[in-house]
Amino acid sequence: MRLLFLAALLVVAGCQDISRMLESRPSARISGVRFSDLNLQSAGLVFDVELSNPYSVPLPLTNLEYSLASSDTPFLTGKADVQGSIPAKASKTVSVPATVSFAQLLGAVKTVRPGSVVPYEAKLNCSVDAPAVGTLNLPVSRKGELPIPAAPSVELSEVKWDRLTLDQAAATVRLKVGNRNDFPLDLSRLSLNLNLANTPIVTTEMAKSVSFKPGQENTLDIPISFAPKNLGLAAFQMLRGQGGGYHVSGRMFVNTAFGAINLPYERTGETKFR
């Protein structure tokens, strides 16, 4: 009789422990979202998920799944490699990386285009192994915006010679640059490769602070210098003419509300010398 009474007490105590565990459930929340990498092909997103454990024992992490959708159209699903456990009566932040391919996004969501900002909703579900209860799912969601960067439009409007001799040439290259994105860009640095009449002229890089509103076009005056005699007499005579064909390429290093972006550009056309 005494053994049965003790067993009954243990069962009641165990039920009370389980009841308390169910009442004080672990929780999850997304404490932050940041871009780890952003370019013309993809965007890296990192979701910081804070997991809280009210129990007196650690909770092993067993699984973490995520999905991203825009206007109820899913465009990315995946699983994160989670390890370790949530300490007893403490919290732990888990970083969940996800890479969004813009080709995949454009294929799934037909209404978006390069240069636009896409609203999205991220849903994450973290699973933990709770003693005496089993697997617990901790779902959480977060809404945000995802940019799809577009390369800038460029045009070499003219080359103004400040000095032109066989030994030295100094000029100002006037480059028209347009922002084809629905979000502003703050240019901090620019690199330039310039060919005139299929002749490599100069490769240069310069710090340039210019702000571009969405859809705005600005003119950048870029100083260059080189020795024409190193290009040959035919190239020197071409430079003394009225103009010719050009090819420009390079990169714009810009800052945005979503982070820094390295935007390549390239253009072939006709320009004039002045």
Side-chain angles (χ1 to χ4, degrees):
M1 180 68 71
R2 181 177 294 180
L3 290 175
L4 291 174
F5 179 71
L6 291 174
L9 284 178
L10 289 175
V11 170
V12 172
C15 291
Q16 289 176 345
D17 288 341
I18 294 175
S19 178
R20 284 195 296 267
M21 291 182 72
L22 292 176
E23 289 176 358
S24 56
R25 182 182 173 89
S27 62
R29 73 180 185 94
I30 298 178
S31 58
V33 183
R34 63 187 187 275
F35 288 92
S36 61
D37 185 32
L38 186 57
N39 52 61
L40 294 183
Q41 288 75 42
S42 63
L45 284 170
V46 179
F47 297 90
D48 292 326
V49 183
E50 183 181 1
L51 304 168
S52 298
N53 176 15
Y55 301 157
S56 57
V57 293
L59 291 179
L61 299 170
T62 59
N63 188 37
L64 204 160
E65 299 176 338
Y66 60 85
S67 65
L68 274 73
S70 180
S71 301
D72 296 325
T73 302
F75 59 86
L76 179 66
T77 59
K79 291 185 177 182
D81 182 17
V82 292
Q83 298 178 353
S85 60
I86 313 172
K89 293 186 178 299
S91 298
K92 178 178 182 177
T93 298
V94 177
S95 295
V96 183
T99 300
V100 179
S101 166
F102 292 141
Q104 183 177 350
L105 173 57
L106 293 171
V109 186
K110 303 299 184 181
T111 57
V112 302
R113 57 171 179 78
S116 61
V117 178
V118 182
Y120 73 87
E121 182 177 14
K123 295 183 178 180
L124 294 85
N125 181 56
C126 184
S127 302
V128 296
D129 187 10
V133 177
T135 300
L136 290 178
N137 293 319
L138 308 177
V140 66
S141 64
R142 179 76 170 257
K143 293 183 178 181
E145 291 184 328
L146 179 68
I148 306 179
S153 64
V154 296
E155 178 187 355
L156 180 57
S157 58
E158 67 175 13
V159 178
K160 178 185 177 182
W161 300 111
D162 301 314
R163 179 179 176 85
L164 182 58
T165 67
L166 274 173
D167 294 321
Q168 183 183 18
T172 299
V173 173
R174 180 153 289 182
L175 195 67
K176 290 183 179 179
V177 179
N179 177 15
R180 299 193 295 175
N181 296 281
D182 293 340
F183 51 91
L185 306 176
D186 290 325
L187 176 67
S188 61
R189 188 160 50 95
L190 178 139
S191 66
L192 171 71
N193 302 308
L194 172 62
N195 284 21
L196 294 174
N198 297 321
T199 303
I201 299 297
V202 70
T203 296
T204 186
E205 186 172 297
M206 63 177 297
K208 197 77 173 177
S209 180
V210 181
S211 295
F212 293 81
K213 296 179 181 179
Q216 183 182 9
E217 183 180 81
N218 285 322
T219 298
L220 307 181
D221 289 335
I222 305 171
I224 62 171
S225 62
F226 58 97
K229 64 182 179 182
N230 296 333
L231 307 178
L233 186 58
F236 178 68
Q237 295 298 334
M238 177 270 299
L239 297 177
R240 295 181 61 189
Q242 299 299 311
Y246 73 85
H247 178 82
V248 291
S249 63
R251 292 183 177 274
M252 290 177 57
F253 302 86
V254 301
N255 295 311
T256 74
F258 308 97
I261 314 177
N262 183 339
L263 294 176
Y265 68 87
E266 187 173 12
R267 177 68 183 268
T268 297
E270 295 287 327
T271 190
K272 57 184 179 181
F273 302 153
R274 183 166 65 88

